[in-house]
Amino acid sequence: MKAPEFPAKVLTLAVDNRKEVERFIKFAIVGTIGMVVDFTVLNLLVLFGGLGPLQANPFSFLAAVLSNFTWNRLWTFPESRARKKRTQLPQFALVNTIGLGINQLIFALALHRLMPVLGFTHPLDYNLSKLIAVGVVLFWNFGINRLWTYRGL
């Protein structure tokens, strides 16, 4: 596809799939709330709980997952409430567990490889590393949850 065609194709895709674009925006808003939960728990555990960033990351990620599941079920995919939580929550948890693995890998690589090169120091180093990891995992989580956890909605 030629460069001038690209914006038109994206616009057409967005207009043709307005409901999915709205869902993605809602998913991103819920994700932003989850990110606030994630960063808050991460920083509390590192700064006051005595954990290192990589040890605190799974706990903060889990807190964000629980927040995201609740808000996605209530707002992003409200029709999903017709399905049983005991089916959806394990699906959501599995997708997000894989997401945690991706998050942890990217977080560790950014923290130990990228931040020293860029010269960032504690606590900016682990917060920027976390932001990079969250940004990547957002697309994994939306894509797989949309195709599996919230399919057919």
Side-chain angles (χ1 to χ4, degrees), residues 1-11:
M1 174 178 349
K2 296 176 187 171
E5 294 175 14
F6 181 73
K9 295 273 186 185
V10 171
L11 183 60

Side-chain angles (χ1 to χ4, degrees), residues 48-109:
F48 303 108
L51 295 178
L54 290 174
Q55 290 78 34
N57 189 47
F59 296 105
S60 66
F61 189 89
L62 177 62
V65 165
L66 293 174
S67 171
N68 290 352
F69 177 75
T70 302
W71 288 111
N72 277 319
R73 189 169 164 87
L74 292 173
W75 187 50
T76 309
F77 302 100
E79 58 277 14
S80 74
R81 287 180 275 171
R83 295 186 184 159
K84 295 179 180 175
K85 275 189 244 181
R86 67 176 181 249
T87 301
Q88 275 186 326
L89 184 56
Q91 289 177 304
F92 193 82
L94 178 60
V95 170
N96 284 277
T97 299
I98 296 167
L100 172 60
I102 297 166
N103 180 294
Q104 191 78 346
L105 176 65
I106 293 168
F107 184 52
L109 288 172

Side-chain angles (χ1 to χ4, degrees), residues 8-62:
K9 295 273 186 185
V10 171
L11 183 60
T12 300
L13 183 64
V15 169
D16 291 347
N17 296 297
R18 184 172 181 203
K19 188 172 183 176
E20 286 306 306
V21 171
E22 288 174 8
R23 281 188 198 272
F24 182 79
I25 291 168
K26 287 181 177 182
F27 192 86
I29 291 168
V30 168
T32 301
I33 293 166
M35 189 172 71
V36 169
V37 169
D38 198 345
F39 276 76
T40 300
V41 172
L42 177 71
N43 281 284
L44 288 173
L45 290 173
V46 169
L47 298 174
F48 303 108
L51 295 178
L54 290 174
Q55 290 78 34
N57 189 47
F59 296 105
S60 66
F61 189 89
L62 177 62

Side-chain angles (χ1 to χ4, degrees), residues 109-130:
L109 288 172
L111 182 63
H112 294 298
R113 301 280 189 232
L114 182 60
M115 293 305 135
V117 170
L118 296 177
F120 291 113
T121 59
H122 181 78
L124 190 56
D125 61 347
Y126 71 83
N127 281 291
L128 286 174
S129 298
K130 180 71 171 179

